[in-house]
């Protein structure tokens, strides 16, 4: 139970504090809210803890976590899982909010789709509580199960286009999303992925060709975003004449072979498989470069890769093509190397360049990468902007379920949509 005072409920069917990329997003933003003086309760989708437990006491506010049980259990039947995730999603979160002795200052929603958003939105309207959407994606149909007409895509599409613009505030992960919702009359705050950078131990050395092969690393779940096949094939091509290895953390060997149409793994590629999120830091810190290549499409420009931020925080330079806002933080030859496109040929060129980099310049890149993370992605940097944004929400009208507010009217008048 929460006590009296100003507090924020940060809700969604995500795992917390570990388990998926969204976990890091929520943790970083919640820490900024706590640093801004708010008490924050993260209400995640897991079944526990049953009562809020303290996660962090850093800053002026308190960060706690409770599980609402929105995610179905692993042993639930397919029908039971479908009913919970499609029909009943949001009921348990609303029940938890109703049980609290005081109402939160605002509710921040991360994920869940249209059904979840509708239930939480109705609760906020009934109780006079501000509703904020934390928007981190603009999904393409091929990213979602069932494609364009599948329930997950239709749900996400409705939330992105119709429900989020009616919120009293939006926190956007990229400038593309910020611009999109601001043009529709929304009150928007841009916050990229953040973390406690000063808790991350940076790497203190570089292992280039002067001491052995270039050690590149890929970590994460490629899904429909990351071009892991391109990364593997480029590494294989380069390794035939230049000493370079690639370690792939996240997918299994079988999953990687499927990406390669069943072919065996090249000798230059290692696939240790999935590791706990807590262990990723040490793996990245000990690599020479992390590699991230994505297609230049709307959904890759709307999101922002958390793994990019994590690599810089570890002091590990990044090899990547520029999507989203990465060009603001990755300068060629400074925090890493920039690929001009996402082709295998271009990545081969850059990998050869990285393998020939003198140790002294690699050390300079490590220092620059870490410095960029400290100045741009530490959660403390956003405490004041978050505080001002939350203060600005008081008195703003929330419109949903057919009602019309200023944001809705602006949406209907807007032209030149750059994202829909």
């Amino acid at each position: 139970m929460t006590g009296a005072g100003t507090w924020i409920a940060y809700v969604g069917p995500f795992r917390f504090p570990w388990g998926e990329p969204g976990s890091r997003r929520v943790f970083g933003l919640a820490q900024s809210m706590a640093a801004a003086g708010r008490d924050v309760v993260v209400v995640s989708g897991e079944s526990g803890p049953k009562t809020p437990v303290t996660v962090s006491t850093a800053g002026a506010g308190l960060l706690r976590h409770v599980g609402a049980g929105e995610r179905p259990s692993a042993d639930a039947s397919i029908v039971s899982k479908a009913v919970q995730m499609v029909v009943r999603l949001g009921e348990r979160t609303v029940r938890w909010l109703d049980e609290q002795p005081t109402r939160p200052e605002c509710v921040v929603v991360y994920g869940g789709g249209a059904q979840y958003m509708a239930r939480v939105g109705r609760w906020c309207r009934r109780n006079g509580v501000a509703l904020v959407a934390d928007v981190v994606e603009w999904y393409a149909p091929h990213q979602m199960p069932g494609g364009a007409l599948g329930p997950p895509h239709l749900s996400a599409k409705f939330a992105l286009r119709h429900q989020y613009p009616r919120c009293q505030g939006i926190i956007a992960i990229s400038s593309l999303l910020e611009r999109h919702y601001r043009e529709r009359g929304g009150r928007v705050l841009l916050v990229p992925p953040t973390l406690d950078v000063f808790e991350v131990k940076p790497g203190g050395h570089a292992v280039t060709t002067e001491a052995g092969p270039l050690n590149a690393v890929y970590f994460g779940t490629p899904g429909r975003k990351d071009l892991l096949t391109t990364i593997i094939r480029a590494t294989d091509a380069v390794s035939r004449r230049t000493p370079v290895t690639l370690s792939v953390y996240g997918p299994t060997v079988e999953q990687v072979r499927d990406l390669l149409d069943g072919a065996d793994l090249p000798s230059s590629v290692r696939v240790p498989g999935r590791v706990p999120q807590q262990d990723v830091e040490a793996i990245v810190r000990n690599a020479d470069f992390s590699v991230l290549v994505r297609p230049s499409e709307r959904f890759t420009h709307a999101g922002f890769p958390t793994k990019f931020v994590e690599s810089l925080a570890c002091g590990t330079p990044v090899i990547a093509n520029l999507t989203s806002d990465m060009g603001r933080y990755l300068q060629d030859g400074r925090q890493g190397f920039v690929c001009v496109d996402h082709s295998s040929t271009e990545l081969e060129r850059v990998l050869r360049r990285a393998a020939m980099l003198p140790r002294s310049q690699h050390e300079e890149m490590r220092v620059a990468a870490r410095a960029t993370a400290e100045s741009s992605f530490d959660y403390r940097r956003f405490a004041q902007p978050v505080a001002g944004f939350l203060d600005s929400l008081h008195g703003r009208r929330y419109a949903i379920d057919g009602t019309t507010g200023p944001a809705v009217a602006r949406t209907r008048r807007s032209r030149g949509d750059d994202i829909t």
Side-chain angles (χ1 to χ4, degrees):
M1 303 289 284
T2 63
T6 301
W7 66 284
I8 293 171
Y10 200 154
V11 307
F14 48 81
R15 295 184 178 92
F16 188 83
W18 307 102
E20 55 194 56
S23 306
R24 176 74 88 175
R25 166 63 173 181
V26 172
F27 205 163
L29 190 49
Q31 285 180 299
S32 294
M33 295 174 185
R38 265 67 172 188
D39 288 341
V40 184
V41 180
V42 175
V43 187
S44 71
E46 297 129 316
S47 59
K50 299 296 185 183
T51 58
V53 297
T54 300
V55 177
S56 172
T57 57
L62 183 65
L63 173 56
R64 292 179 290 170
H65 169 222
V66 67
E70 293 284 4
R71 302 178 72 93
S73 62
D75 58 354
S77 67
I78 295 178
V79 173
S80 178
K81 289 179 179 179
V83 170
Q84 176 59 30
M85 296 304 292
V86 177
V87 179
R88 304 186 63 182
L89 196 62
E91 288 182 353
R92 296 172 185 179
T93 300
V94 167
R95 188 182 310 138
W96 184 88
L97 290 168
D98 269 332
E99 292 170 351
Q100 305 315 301
T102 62
R103 295 295 179 242
E105 169 189 0
C106 75
V107 174
V108 182
V109 177
Y110 178 97
Q115 184 66 282
Y116 188 93
M117 193 70 184
R119 284 198 168 93
V120 175
R122 285 193 293 269
W123 185 91
C124 287
R125 190 174 64 254
R126 288 197 308 268
N127 290 276
V129 174
L131 180 63
V132 174
D134 181 13
V135 188
V136 301
E137 300 276 5
W138 193 277
Y139 298 100
H142 69 267
Q143 290 180 275
M144 310 292 280
L149 298 180
H153 179 252
L154 294 175
S155 175
K157 181 178 177 180
F158 188 81
L160 287 163
R161 293 186 177 181
H162 302 288
Q163 292 174 315
Y164 295 161
R166 292 165 168 80
C167 290
Q168 286 160 304
I170 291 172
I171 301 175
I173 202 170
S174 68
S175 59
L176 189 152
L177 289 173
E178 177 196 28
R179 182 173 62 252
H180 173 78
Y181 286 109
R182 196 179 298 280
E183 289 175 351
R184 280 142 189 81
R187 186 172 294 270
V188 188
L189 176 68
L190 172 61
V191 180
T194 57
L195 61 151
D196 190 343
V197 174
F198 296 95
E199 282 293 313
V200 178
K201 182 180 178 182
H205 65 285
V207 185
T208 63
T209 52
E210 296 175 28
L214 179 79
N215 174 25
V217 64
Y218 169 87
F219 62 102
T221 304
R224 302 281 186 170
K225 295 181 182 178
D226 302 344
L227 300 176
L228 181 54
T229 303
T230 298
I231 297 172
I232 291 173
R233 288 175 175 162
T235 302
D236 180 39
V238 172
S239 69
R240 296 170 189 172
R241 293 188 178 182
T242 305
V244 57
T245 63
L246 173 70
S247 298
V248 177
Y249 290 88
T252 64
V253 172
E254 292 73 22
Q255 289 171 327
V256 173
R257 289 192 63 189
D258 286 343
L259 292 174
L260 300 174
D261 297 323
D264 292 334
L265 295 178
S267 59
S268 58
V269 178
R270 296 173 56 249
V271 183
R274 186 173 179 81
V275 296
Q277 189 175 349
Q278 301 93 312
D279 296 343
V280 170
E281 178 184 318
I283 292 168
V284 176
R285 182 171 61 240
N286 292 318
D288 293 318
F289 288 89
S290 65
V291 185
L292 178 62
V293 179
R294 293 182 163 185
S296 181
E297 297 186 26
R298 181 177 60 192
F299 67 90
T300 58
H301 290 287
F304 194 117
T306 302
K307 64 188 73 177
F308 173 76
V309 175
E310 293 173 329
S311 186
L312 295 187
C314 290
T316 300
V318 180
I319 294 173
N321 64 314
L322 299 181
T323 58
S324 188
D325 296 326
M326 288 169 55
R328 299 182 177 184
Y329 314 102
L330 178 59
Q331 300 169 284
D332 188 62
R334 182 162 174 77
Q335 298 90 354
F337 289 118
V338 174
C339 299
V340 298
D341 58 38
H342 59 271
S343 68
S344 178
T345 301
E346 171 63 7
L347 181 55
E348 289 173 30
R349 180 189 70 82
V350 174
L351 284 172
R352 291 190 182 96
R353 183 182 174 195
M356 296 297 105
L357 188 70
R359 178 184 292 273
S360 60
Q361 292 183 27
H362 194 182
E363 295 286 2
E364 292 174 0
M365 277 191 180
R366 283 188 175 274
V367 173
R370 172 67 180 202
T372 297
E374 291 179 1
S375 63
S376 301
F377 299 116
D378 186 78
Y379 77 86
R380 299 169 186 85
R381 180 194 181 288
F382 295 92
Q384 288 188 349
V386 164
F389 172 78
L390 294 173
D391 289 342
S392 73
L393 298 178
H394 297 293
R396 285 180 64 85
R397 180 183 177 190
Y398 170 55
I400 200 167
D401 294 342
T403 61
T404 302
V408 179
R410 183 76 60 86
T411 300
R412 291 171 179 167
R413 293 195 302 269
S414 65
R415 294 293 185 270
D417 193 341
D418 62 348
I419 192 169
T420 54

